[in-house]
Amino acid sequence: TGVDLTRVPIRPDDIVFGNISGRERHEKSLVIYDYRGEELEVTDYQFVNPESAELFEAEFTPLASEELAEEPDAQGGLKVTVTAKSGLPLGPINQRIRLDLNRSDVPTITADIWGRVVGDFSFIGPGFETDRNRLRLGPIPAGEEVSRQLHVMVKGPYRGDVQLEVAEVTPKGSLEAILGEPREINNGAVIMIPLTVRVPPDAPRGDYLGVGRPAGEIVLRTTHPEVETVSIDVSFIIE
C-alpha cells in the first residue's frame, strides 16, 4: 500500500477555533489514525501553556466505522475533542496539547491550538490572520514603503460611545498605525473604524516575523468600560 506503518498521522495538524466568545464553551476535534492494527490509546495528556491550561479539557473516543472508512488503510484511530471552557480572556489563544500514546515508536504527538477570544472588538482586512490575531506583511525590501488597510469592528451595547487611540506601536520607527473616522454598518449594529498599518520607507532593517523573536505589535487604547486595550501582532522583515 505504500503506507508508513510506523507513523501516527493526525488530521488536522492544528486545532483552530477561529473567533469565539469567552462566555461560552466551544469544541473542536482532530483525529489520530493507526495503521498497525494495534489498539491506540492516549495514556496521558497535557495542555502545555500553564496560563490557560485549566480552561481547556480533552476527551478521547474510538473512531466509528464510518469515520475510519474516510482514511484508506487505517486500522483504527481516536477522535480527540478539545473543549475551550467559558472564562477564556479576550485576546489570542496560544495553547498546545501534548498527547502521550501507548506506542514505543511514536510515544508523543503535539498539536497547536489557535484562535481568538473576541468580545466587542475584532479586526478584518487583507493579510490579517484571525486565528493568530496577526497581520502578515512578509518580507519588505529596504527603502520600500508598505501600507495595509484594516478595519476595527466594534459591536455590543457600547459601540456608539467607544473611542480608540493608538497607545503603542512596536518597533518604533519601523511601524506606524493610523486610525480613521468611524462609520456605522449593518444598520448601526457595528461600528467600523479604519486602521492603516504602514512600514515607512526609511525603516531600518530588522526581523519581526515572530519566529524565534517577537513580532511587531500595535496596541489600541479604548474607552470601553470593560476592555482597556486591544492589540494585534504584525509579522514582517525588512531586508
Side-chain angles (χ1 to χ4, degrees):
T1 64
V3 175
D4 182 359
L5 299 180
T6 64
R7 65 191 176 114
V8 182
I10 62 175
R11 306 280 191 278
D13 295 332
D14 296 343
I15 292 178
V16 179
F17 281 97
N19 281 343
I20 62 173
S21 167
R23 300 185 181 98
E24 303 170 355
R25 293 168 63 91
H26 301 268
E27 290 185 355
K28 287 289 183 179
S29 299
L30 59 79
V31 174
I32 310 174
Y33 290 108
D34 172 66
Y35 295 106
R36 298 174 58 169
E38 301 174 1
E39 186 175 358
L40 188 64
E41 294 181 0
V42 175
T43 59
D44 196 9
Y45 72 94
Q46 179 185 13
F47 292 104
V48 176
N49 184 351
E51 293 182 2
S52 61
E54 63 181 15
L55 293 172
F56 291 89
E57 60 187 21
E59 185 178 56
F60 313 100
T61 54
L63 290 182
S65 55
E66 59 270 18
E67 295 172 311
L68 194 58
E70 296 177 3
E71 176 69 10
D73 302 309
Q75 302 297 310
L78 289 173
K79 175 182 284 188
V80 180
T81 302
V82 173
T83 300
K85 303 178 185 178
S86 62
L88 277 168
L90 293 174
I93 297 172
N94 294 311
Q95 187 55 266
R96 173 180 293 180
I97 187 171
R98 186 180 70 218
L99 304 170
D100 295 334
L101 306 177
N102 62 336
R103 292 281 296 267
S104 59
D105 53 337
V106 188
T108 303
I109 60 175
T110 61
D112 290 328
I113 302 171
W114 302 101
R116 181 170 180 80
V117 180
V118 298
D120 293 345
F121 296 90
S122 60
F123 295 82
I124 61 171
F128 186 75
E129 301 172 335
T130 301
D131 55 334
R132 290 169 170 80
N133 192 46
R134 174 175 293 182
L135 174 62
R136 187 175 296 277
L137 299 179
I140 301 170
E144 183 174 310
E145 176 181 352
V146 171
S147 181
R148 292 288 186 276
Q149 181 72 69
L150 301 183
H151 286 92
V152 188
M153 314 299 285
V154 188
K155 58 184 180 179
Y158 306 107
R159 64 187 181 278
D161 301 320
V162 167
Q163 297 179 12
L164 299 179
E165 66 176 4
V166 178
E168 186 177 357
V169 178
T170 307
K172 293 180 180 179
S174 297
L175 195 63
E176 299 174 353
I178 304 165
L179 288 165
E181 292 297 319
R183 67 182 180 92
E184 295 182 354
I185 62 172
N186 297 344
N187 296 320
V190 179
I191 304 297
M192 185 169 69
I193 305 173
L195 174 64
T196 302
V197 179
R198 177 176 177 266
V199 176
D202 58 350
R205 299 172 190 266
D207 183 345
Y208 310 101
L209 290 176
V211 179
R213 63 191 69 195
E217 184 181 32
I218 296 171
V219 180
L220 304 178
R221 184 178 295 109
T222 90
T223 59
H224 193 289
E226 298 173 1
V227 183
E228 183 177 350
T229 62
V230 291
S231 64
I232 62 169
D233 289 341
V234 183
S235 173
F236 66 106
I237 182 172
I238 303 174
E239 300 175 324

